[in-house]
């Protein structure tokens, strides 16, 4: 019996993985790219549930593990710290083993970490297993733009949009479904969190198919190795690149704004007289807008010679939202939420620029690691400063002023990072 149509499709998909090396762009019509795109989207969906799925059951976790308020507060900063620390290791790992294998290893780490976290019997184990899962997420954060650049050099915008939408879907799904999942099995928070470990394991299936189909040729061409990613020219040094620094600061400031929004926006609304339920819906609107915008904006950004005008337009939406929160937080609550949701699209613009500001595989790996690691490190103090200012002044005027100043700096750095130049050119 001859090979089935499915076998032929998977064989062609493996061939795509083999040919998608730097200097060998994949043609738009190549069969089997759907499998790689599916693998990227499923991976992206699993890069946020470890974070957004914890908030809804944090009270139950604290009560069960005896976690104090200080440790619970630190949980809001741990993701950014882990992204920064583990993100720096991604280029070295990808250079030795290949970005595909490291992303697969990251998914395994996410699944194991989340599974063990659901079994944790004390705070120390809970934090350690959370860090394990976040480490897997960190390398995924860094290497996803690299894989898009490698496998879809002619479709950077649309594919970045797809996986950015996957990030948004994973974020909102975990926030919305963790409680129902826990209630479905008797209200146990452990089952609610463990479900996301299963989702990460399922995301391994398309990668396993690609790796299996490529294995037969590994002895001759080593189709998925780190060695194939090494270019003849030395990779650019990010610390000497003004573009890399501008992109890193832009990434960090947009992440700061996002963490502040997630952590403090409901309280701003509630202090203005909005009910707790409505404040939660307003935050859901802000975060939910990320899904459609994440799909649309990359297509726009990649058609622009410079992404500066897009950065300015998105930044002005955030600025209008902040102004509304200052002047009439309750009166125009839904409008401010929409404007801030559009402002959150700066994250997607930053991801697109990572792929556009470098022309080589090693350059994208280095730039992605540098921009995201430095950026997430810069984002750690923001939510803490906003909380401290609110406590010191008893209101939101000073925090909103700080947020506005950070936004203006974000727009400036985004315009600089959006200029049509590559880090390989010494810019």
């Amino acid at each position: 019996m001859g090979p089935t149509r499915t076998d032929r499709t998977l064989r062609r998909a493996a061939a795509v993985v083999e040919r998608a090396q730097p200097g060998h762009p994949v043609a738009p019509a190549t069969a089997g790219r759907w499998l790689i795109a599916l693998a990227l989207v499923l991976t992206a969906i699993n890069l946020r549930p470890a974070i957004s799925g914890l908030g809804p059951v944090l009270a139950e976790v604290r009560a069960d593990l005896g976690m104090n308020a200080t440790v619970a507060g630190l949980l809001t900063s741990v993701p950014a710290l882990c992204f920064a620390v583990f993100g720096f290791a991604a280029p070295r790992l990808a250079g030795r083993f290949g970005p595909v294998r490291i992303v697969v290893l990251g998914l395994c780490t996410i699944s194991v970490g989340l599974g063990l976290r659901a079994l944790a019997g004390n705070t120390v184990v809970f934090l350690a297993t959370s860090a394990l899962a976040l480490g897997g997420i960190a390398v995924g954060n860094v290497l996803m733009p690299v894989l898009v650049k490698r496998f879809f050099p002619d479709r950077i915008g649309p594919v970045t949009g797809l996986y950015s939408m996957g990030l948004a879907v994973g974020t909102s799904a975990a926030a919305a479904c963790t409680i129902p999942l826990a209630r479905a099995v008797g209200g146990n928070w452990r089952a609610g969190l463990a479900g996301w470990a299963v989702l990460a394991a399922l995301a391994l299936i398309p990668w396993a198919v690609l790796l299996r189909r490529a294995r037969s040729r590994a002895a001759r061409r080593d189709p998925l190795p780190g060695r194939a990613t090494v270019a003849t020219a030395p990779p650019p040094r990010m610390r000497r690149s003004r573009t890399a620094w501008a992109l890193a600061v832009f990434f960090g400031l947009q992440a700061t704004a996002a963490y502040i929004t997630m952590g403090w926006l409901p309280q701003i609304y509630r202090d203005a007289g909005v009910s707790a339920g409505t404040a939660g819906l307003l935050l859901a609107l802000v975060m939910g807008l990320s899904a459609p915008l994440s799909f649309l904006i990359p297509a726009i950004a990649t058609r622009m010679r410079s992404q500066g005008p897009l950065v300015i337009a998105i930044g002005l939406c955030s600025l209008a939202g902040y102004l509304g929160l200052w002047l009439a937080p309750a009166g125009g609550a839904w409008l401010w939420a929409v404007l801030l949701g559009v402002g959150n699209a700066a994250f997607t613009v930053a991801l697109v620029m990572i792929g556009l500001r470098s022309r080589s595989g090693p350059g994208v790996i280095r730039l992605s690691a540098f921009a995201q690691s430095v950026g997430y490190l810069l984002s750690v103090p923001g939510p803490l400063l906003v909380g401290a200012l609110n406590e010191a002044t008893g209101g939101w005027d000073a925090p909103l002023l700080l947020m506005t100043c950070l936004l203006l700096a974000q727009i400036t750095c985004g315009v600089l990072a959006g200029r049509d130049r590559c880090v390989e050119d010494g810019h």
Side-chain angles (χ1 to χ4, degrees), residues 238 244 247 353-354 357-358 363-371 423:
M238 296 299 117
L247 185 52
M353 287 198 289
I354 289 173
R357 295 288 82 87
S358 180
V364 175
I365 293 177
R366 292 285 185 92
L367 181 57
S368 182
F370 182 81
V423 292

Side-chain angles (χ1 to χ4, degrees), residues 255-266 268 322 382-383 386 402-403 406:
T256 299
Y259 284 131
I260 290 173
T261 298
M262 286 188 288
W264 293 109
L265 184 62
I268 294 174
Y322 291 164
V386 167
L402 172 64
M403 292 159 64
L406 294 176

Side-chain angles (χ1 to χ4, degrees), residues 202-297:
L202 292 176
L204 289 166
I205 294 174
W207 290 119
V209 172
L210 291 167
L211 287 167
R212 178 174 176 269
R213 291 293 171 175
R215 189 180 303 164
S216 61
R217 302 183 183 182
R220 290 188 293 113
R221 295 189 181 183
D222 202 8
L224 293 175
R227 292 184 293 279
T229 68
V230 179
T232 56
R237 296 185 179 182
M238 296 299 117
R239 285 179 291 181
R240 296 183 180 181
S241 169
R242 287 168 293 182
T243 298
W245 275 108
L247 185 52
V249 177
F250 174 65
F251 193 98
L253 291 174
Q254 65 79 27
T256 299
Y259 284 131
I260 290 173
T261 298
M262 286 188 288
W264 293 109
L265 184 62
Q267 193 61 49
I268 294 174
Y269 279 131
R270 293 186 66 179
D271 288 351
V274 177
S275 69
T278 301
L281 290 175
L282 288 165
L283 179 60
L285 174 61
V286 173
M287 307 312 296
L289 280 174
S290 299
L293 291 175
S294 294
F295 184 73
L296 294 174
I297 284 180

Side-chain angles (χ1 to χ4, degrees), residues 101-308:
R101 289 192 176 108
I102 296 305
V103 168
V104 172
L105 178 62
L107 277 173
C108 293
T109 304
I110 294 169
S111 182
V112 172
L114 293 181
L116 293 177
R117 184 172 74 169
L119 300 175
N122 56 65
T123 298
V124 173
V125 175
F126 189 89
L127 290 175
T129 51
S130 294
L132 180 64
L134 291 169
I137 294 172
V139 296
N141 286 339
V142 170
L143 296 178
M144 287 292 281
V146 177
L147 296 180
V148 172
K149 180 85 168 184
R150 167 175 291 189
F151 294 121
F152 300 91
D154 56 330
R155 293 289 186 271
I156 290 177
V159 179
T160 299
L162 278 176
Y163 96 75
S164 298
M165 188 167 62
L167 283 168
V169 169
T171 302
S172 56
C177 299
T178 298
I179 289 292
L181 184 60
R183 288 175 177 170
V185 288
N188 190 331
W189 64 265
R190 297 180 184 275
L193 294 182
W196 306 113
V198 176
L199 183 64
L202 292 176
L204 289 166
I205 294 174
W207 290 119
V209 172
L210 291 167
L211 287 167
R212 178 174 176 269
R213 291 293 171 175
R215 189 180 303 164
S216 61
R217 302 183 183 182
R220 290 188 293 113
R221 295 189 181 183
D222 202 8
L224 293 175
R227 292 184 293 279
T229 68
V230 179
T232 56
R237 296 185 179 182
M238 296 299 117
R239 285 179 291 181
R240 296 183 180 181
S241 169
R242 287 168 293 182
T243 298
W245 275 108
L247 185 52
V249 177
F250 174 65
F251 193 98
L253 291 174
Q254 65 79 27
T256 299
Y259 284 131
I260 290 173
T261 298
M262 286 188 288
W264 293 109
L265 184 62
Q267 193 61 49
I268 294 174
Y269 279 131
R270 293 186 66 179
D271 288 351
V274 177
S275 69
T278 301
L281 290 175
L282 288 165
L283 179 60
L285 174 61
V286 173
M287 307 312 296
L289 280 174
S290 299
L293 291 175
S294 294
F295 184 73
L296 294 174
I297 284 180
I300 298 172
T302 52
R303 291 189 177 97
M304 304 174 72
R305 186 175 181 87
S306 169
Q307 290 72 44

